[in-house]
Amino acid sequence: METATTIPQKTHKQTFPVTGMTCAACASSVETILQYTDGVHAVSVNFATNTVQVEWDERLTPEGINAALQDVGYGIIISEKAVSETVQEEQAKKYQEVKARTIGAGLLTLPVFVIGMFFMDWEAGRWISMALSIPVLFYFGRHFYVNAWKQARHRKANMDTLVALSTGIAFLFSAFNTFFPEFWHAQGIHPHVYYEAATVIVVFISFGKMLEERAKSQTGTALKKLIGLQPKTLTLIQNGQTQEIKIEEVQLGDRILIKPGEKIPVDGIVEAGSSYIDESMISGEPVPVEKKAGDKVFAGTINQKGSLEILAEKVGAATLLSQIIQRVQEAQGSKAPVQKLVDKIAGIFVPVVIGIALVTFSVWMLLGGENAFSHALLAAVSVLVIACPCALGLATPTAIMVGVGKGAENQILIRDAESLELGHKVNAIILDKTGTITAGKPTVVSLQWSVDSDQSSLRLPAAAGTSLERSNLSIENTSPPSGGCGVEILLSLESKSEHPLAEAVVKFLKEKGIQSVELESFESITARGVKGKFEGKTYFVGNAKLLRENGISIPTELESEAKSWSEKAQTVIWFADEENALAILGIQDQIKPSSKLAIEKLQNTGVEVFMLTGDNQQTAKSVADEVGIDHFKAEVMPSDKSDFVKSLQDKDKVVAMVGDGINDSEAMAQADVSIAMGHGSDIAMDVAKITLITSDLEKIPQAFRLSHLTVNGVKQNLFWAFIYNVIGIPIAAGVLYPINGFLLDPMIAGAAMAFSSVSVVMNSLRLKNLKI
């Protein structure tokens, strides 16, 4: 009877930071190596975050996984720290290393360049150049050779291969000419050296790598800030006593005291007390939400002025905040950048160039006559030098750098080259409502006094109704009521109120020059409003429920107006005395003046516009109708926004997400292009790859236009770089020699290579003068 081999059932799953990966090919190698390692069940490498997720059984240990990778030049970091923290440390360390290498190589290359360009026949200059080139190539630039060797071992080639070959051969050829110039003199040829070509290539390419590492080292700041939203300690209530404990020690069902101004440490239910909580992290709405016994609260949200006692329902990784952090990590990680166009081209270009150089050498050896070897060597070196990747390597970064600079001039900050490349392909854009389409600040937009009231001292102009007309709110100096001015009493009551909307009323009245009066008494009524006495008479400010409970008469015209305002997504506040409602105020988050025009421009270019908001359906519809958006969703959670982005991507849409809050960060990380409004939260701006300094939506069509111009510039650069190679390589190989006896000197090949680089840079600089 045959016994089936059983795999140990107990498995471990963990994510580790990976060291030694420099390109997508490396990521593929790491994955392949681990897939064939005994004991590994599943493996997934993420090049974007330099991490690998491994599922393994008891036959293996993390040390064993590391050993398997070290055999081929990679490794994992086994640390007790959080993976994100370790990755950030490694990225910051890598950036500092690349920066130091680039600066070191640049300082030593400068004199080599000057000697090579202006003192080429100076005998001592050759020896000085060689001495300076050795550390540039083999110390500061050693990673190019190491990476090229790794690629060769896996039978692959990339940009590092071409850099290593061209610089290595140029150096060896130059070193030979420095030590044995008489070899060429005997052939009647003047020996040239190409130290400056080799070193300048290393500096240029290193500079590009430095910019890339800088961007990668900054990607983790958003997660750091999200994690920072969770307090490190909390106040536990046990047997009537309070004690401070670490967040890690809290258990389900624990009773926790939340003091004014503190962050909520866990998801839970309010057991006692009442307060207002800033939940903008979840909903994106700027107005804090009232919480009383039985209401849910969430980790990371901020308590305002009251004290609360809550029961812990979800702790640690189960809280909503932890889930947002996890999903942001997953979304950022799932977008491993595709290999750049240049790397793909280099994969074909490099072997072709090497093949041409070998064929050139062979043909010359066979047909070159008595000077066959010297001509063969010169021609082969000329092919490799003229095909040097400088122009190819500069084609993308120079255009991107100019594009980024052009964006900054126009209040568009671009952090990520990939977003700049993708922007012109966007065909679906999602806009958050609050702070993106609207200003994100509740403002008094409507005011109506009762017709029968003699309290009138502040009115709207006649026929007010649109948002523009509402902005013309003004004071009318009518005779003040007996016993004091109603507006001053309203200001006095709202000044003492803790309700977030009261701030909007106070700001509005103070801007109109209203002065408050001294109240005889004041009382806050939970979930209703406030009341106070002035000269023996009681006044109320709050919702309609407050008036009805106190038997206050509501005039028909005010009730009708309040209903109309509610339909227009305004929050209505009532002002009344002991007997009658005196006035109503409408408060609204106003739409930015530029929003409608920007949305129209996007729609005219074929971009579908969607609006997602945590606000209610009525408000969402009102805003969508006013700015001309047909597709919108209301009352959405952060995860709903992210899921909506995914659903559009599943339909092959290139999706841009525009937001300003923590609640948008998850969807922004998931989107192909993420855009933050400049006044928004630091976390939104850290997740976003593009930030609009002015918070003006009209900058979005400009950003997409800039993307179009930049990508065109990259394509033009690549075209010229290749045309140059198509013409230059055959000439370097000696195709003209049988016709007119012309054989390209490697020095002229070096000059042609330099000219191709200059032409690419000049074409990129043209972008500066184009209008977006």
Side-chain angles (χ1 to χ4, degrees):
M1 186 177 169
E2 224 172 79
T3 308
T5 306
T6 58
I7 296 173
Q9 293 301 305
K10 192 175 179 184
T11 60
H12 308 272
K13 193 174 185 180
Q14 195 173 334
T15 301
F16 301 99
V18 183
T19 58
M21 287 200 304
T22 59
C23 62
C26 296
S28 176
S29 299
V30 170
E31 200 162 277
T32 306
I33 292 156
L34 291 181
Q35 279 170 348
Y36 288 98
T37 301
D38 258 2
V40 172
H41 289 243
V43 58
S44 173
V45 176
N46 191 308
F47 177 57
T49 55
N50 276 342
T51 58
V52 58
Q53 188 182 70
V54 189
E55 188 178 342
W56 74 96
D57 61 41
E58 291 174 321
R59 287 176 289 173
L60 201 58
T61 62
E63 287 74 19
I65 295 168
N66 188 38
L69 290 173
Q70 281 180 332
D71 288 343
V72 283
Y74 306 109
I76 60 169
I77 298 172
I78 304 161
S79 170
E80 290 180 8
K81 290 181 184 176
V83 175
S84 57
E85 195 179 334
T86 310
V87 168
Q88 286 160 27
E89 285 176 5
E90 283 299 307
Q91 285 173 340
K93 184 178 165 188
K94 183 85 178 285
Y95 168 62
Q96 291 303 328
E97 284 175 5
V98 175
K99 184 180 176 182
R101 285 204 303 256
T102 306
I103 293 170
L107 290 173
L108 293 180
T109 295
L110 186 61
V112 176
F113 178 77
V114 171
I115 292 168
M117 290 290 104
F118 305 107
F119 305 97
M120 58 192 79
D121 294 322
W122 181 30
E123 191 64 33
R126 296 182 172 210
W127 294 95
I128 295 168
S129 295
M130 185 175 73
L132 293 173
S133 297
I134 289 169
V136 171
L137 297 177
F138 306 115
Y139 178 71
F140 295 117
R142 66 188 181 280
H143 56 285
F144 292 117
Y145 300 95
V146 172
N147 295 339
W149 173 243
K150 281 184 187 176
Q151 293 293 318
R153 286 177 65 185
H154 291 97
R155 297 182 182 179
K156 291 180 181 177
N158 67 356
M159 202 56 125
D160 289 333
T161 311
L162 206 49
V163 172
L165 270 174
S166 58
T167 56
I169 290 174
F171 175 80
L172 291 172
F173 183 66
S174 301
F176 179 85
N177 291 354
T178 302
F179 281 106
F180 308 107
E182 62 277 1
F183 174 84
W184 298 108
H185 288 142
Q187 316 290 328
I189 299 168
H190 182 67
H192 290 290
V193 293
Y194 306 97
Y195 296 118
E196 80 286 349
T199 53
V200 166
I201 291 166
V202 167
V203 172
F204 273 152
I205 306 294
S206 293
F207 182 68
K209 293 262 185 192
M210 184 185 79
L211 295 179
E212 183 185 324
E213 288 300 328
R214 184 183 177 190
K216 283 175 82 174
S217 72
Q218 292 172 346
T219 57
T221 53
L223 291 172
K224 263 184 172 176
K225 286 178 181 173
L226 272 174
I227 292 162
L229 286 175
Q230 195 171 50
K232 305 289 183 197
T233 61
L234 54 86
T235 306
L236 182 70
I237 303 172
Q238 218 168 24
N239 303 321
Q241 301 294 313
T242 61
Q243 66 174 109
E244 195 171 277
I245 63 168
K246 290 182 180 177
I247 187 77
E248 295 86 7
E249 295 171 16
V250 70
Q251 302 290 320
L252 289 176
D254 279 352
R255 195 180 185 93
I256 300 162
L257 174 65
I258 313 294
K259 297 170 187 173
E262 284 187 343
K263 291 172 184 170
I264 310 289
V266 297
D267 291 1
I269 291 184
V270 177
E271 279 286 294
S274 66
S275 182
Y276 285 92
I277 303 285
D278 178 354
E279 290 190 341
S280 58
M281 181 200 88
I282 299 164
S283 66
E285 298 309 305
V287 181
V289 181
E290 186 186 6
K291 297 290 180 180
K292 53 189 183 303
D295 291 338
K296 286 185 178 291
V297 291
F298 302 96
T301 57
I302 302 167
N303 184 26
Q304 302 282 285
K305 297 176 182 176
S307 286
L308 296 172
E309 289 182 17
I310 67 169
L311 279 186
E313 271 198 323
K314 290 180 181 176
V315 299
T319 64
L320 184 63
L321 174 61
S322 295
Q323 286 169 10
I324 291 173
I325 292 167
Q326 186 184 348
R327 289 176 69 121
V328 168
Q329 282 175 320
E330 286 171 1
Q332 284 186 328
S334 68
K335 295 196 308 177
V338 293
Q339 266 188 289
K340 295 293 180 191
L341 176 62
V342 173
D343 277 336
K344 286 182 177 177
I345 294 165
I348 304 162
F349 182 64
V350 176
V352 168
V353 169
I354 295 167
I356 292 171
L358 290 172
V359 168
T360 300
F361 185 85
S362 304
V363 169
W364 274 104
M365 285 300 289
L366 290 171
L367 308 174
E370 58 184 56
N371 290 325
F373 178 72
S374 57
H375 282 167
L377 191 60
L378 284 170
V381 169
S382 292
V383 167
L384 286 167
V385 170
I386 207 164
C388 148
C390 231
L392 207 57
L394 288 169
T396 303
T398 53
I400 294 293
M401 283 169 72
V402 175
V404 168
K406 184 79 175 172
E409 286 172 20
N410 289 273
Q411 289 83 47
I412 303 164
L413 293 183
I414 298 157
R415 267 184 48 196
D416 180 82
E418 194 180 358
S419 291
L420 188 58
E421 289 171 25
L422 272 176
H424 73 293
K425 293 181 180 177
V426 168
N427 51 20
I429 188 165
I430 299 168
L431 304 175
D432 172 50
K433 178 185 75 72
T434 308
T436 302
I437 295 173
T438 66
K441 292 177 182 174
T443 309
V444 175
V445 293
S446 308
L447 176 67
Q448 178 70 50
W449 290 82
S450 167
V451 174
D452 300 328
S453 170
D454 63 349
Q455 307 283 331
S456 178
S457 62
L458 189 62
R459 293 186 184 277
L460 262 178
T466 67
S467 58
L468 281 175
E469 288 167 328
R470 290 189 212 121
S471 67
N472 294 325
L473 285 164
S474 61
I475 296 177
E476 293 184 356
N477 297 314
T478 59
S479 56
S482 57
C485 175
V487 181
E488 292 176 355
I489 297 166
L490 173 61
L491 174 59
S492 303
L493 286 165
E494 289 291 65
S495 296
K496 290 181 177 293
S497 172
E498 293 181 355
H499 196 285
L501 293 180
E503 291 177 24
V505 178
V506 170
K507 183 173 182 284
F508 169 68
L509 294 178
K510 283 187 173 177
E511 282 174 357
K512 302 300 180 186
I514 305 299
Q515 300 294 318
S516 59
V517 293
E518 193 66 41
L519 298 174
E520 293 162 13
S521 68
F522 174 84
E523 185 186 341
S524 178
I525 306 160
T526 304
R528 299 290 185 269
V530 297
K531 70 176 181 178
K533 273 192 178 181
F534 180 74
E535 295 187 350
K537 197 171 184 179
T538 303
Y539 292 87
F540 299 86
V541 180
N543 54 27
K545 202 176 282 185
L546 174 68
L547 273 61
R548 291 192 187 97
E549 286 175 357
N550 286 277
I552 295 166
S553 172
I554 298 176
T556 310
E557 82 274 4
L558 283 190
E559 194 155 26
S560 172
E561 195 70 33
K563 187 180 177 186
S564 169
W565 292 356
S566 294
E567 287 168 0
K568 293 172 186 170
Q570 294 181 37
T571 302
V572 179
I573 292 177
W574 294 78
F575 175 48
D577 61 18
E578 298 163 335
E579 298 166 358
N580 300 299
L582 304 175
I584 51 171
L585 296 95
I587 296 179
Q588 192 176 45
D589 184 9
Q590 286 188 290
I591 291 165
K592 294 176 189 172
S594 61
S595 293
K596 187 172 183 179
L597 183 60
I599 288 162
E600 201 174 290
K601 282 181 181 177
L602 288 166
Q603 289 168 335
N604 289 342
T605 57
V607 178
E608 274 189 277
V609 181
F610 302 84
M611 184 184 82
L612 300 183
T613 177
D615 212 339
N616 62 66
Q617 183 75 18
Q618 192 178 23
T619 303
K621 187 177 188 312
S622 173
V623 171
D625 289 346
E626 193 163 340
V627 295
I629 293 176
D630 297 324
H631 314 288
F632 68 90
K633 286 181 82 174
E635 297 175 8
V636 294
M637 295 289 281
S639 57
D640 298 329
K641 291 186 180 185
S642 176
D643 291 341
F644 189 74
V645 172
K646 282 181 194 169
S647 70
L648 290 177
Q649 289 170 330
D650 290 342
K651 296 173 187 171
D652 295 325
K653 299 274 188 190
V654 179
V655 183
M657 173 71 199
V658 187
D660 74 327
I662 297 161
N663 66 308
D664 303 314
S665 59
E666 192 179 317
M668 289 164 77
Q670 177 63 41
D672 300 292
V673 177
S674 48
I675 304 171
M677 309 308 284
H679 70 267
S681 74
D682 287 347
I683 290 161
M685 286 189 275
D686 283 333
V687 171
K689 301 302 172 65
I690 298 173
T691 299
L692 309 180
I693 298 172
T694 62
S695 292
D696 180 354
L697 281 186
E698 285 201 72
K699 291 294 173 187
I700 295 173
Q702 288 184 22
F704 293 165
R705 168 76 178 150
L706 177 63
S707 165
H708 175 73
L709 293 172
T710 305
V711 169
N712 274 356
V714 171
K715 288 176 180 174
Q716 289 162 5
N717 286 348
L718 289 173
F719 171 78
W720 288 114
F722 274 99
I723 283 294
Y724 148 81
N725 276 303
V726 166
I727 297 168
I729 288 173
I731 293 172
V735 293
L736 295 178
Y737 191 80
I739 302 165
N740 58 13
F742 178 76
L743 185 63
L744 189 70
D745 188 289
M747 183 158 184
I748 298 170
M753 179 272 293
F755 176 75
S756 74
S757 301
V758 171
S759 65
V760 161
V761 173
M762 294 298 288
N763 186 56
S764 294
L765 290 173
R766 275 192 328 109
L767 274 172
K768 278 191 172 183
N769 302 317
L770 298 176
K771 290 185 178 179
I772 62 168

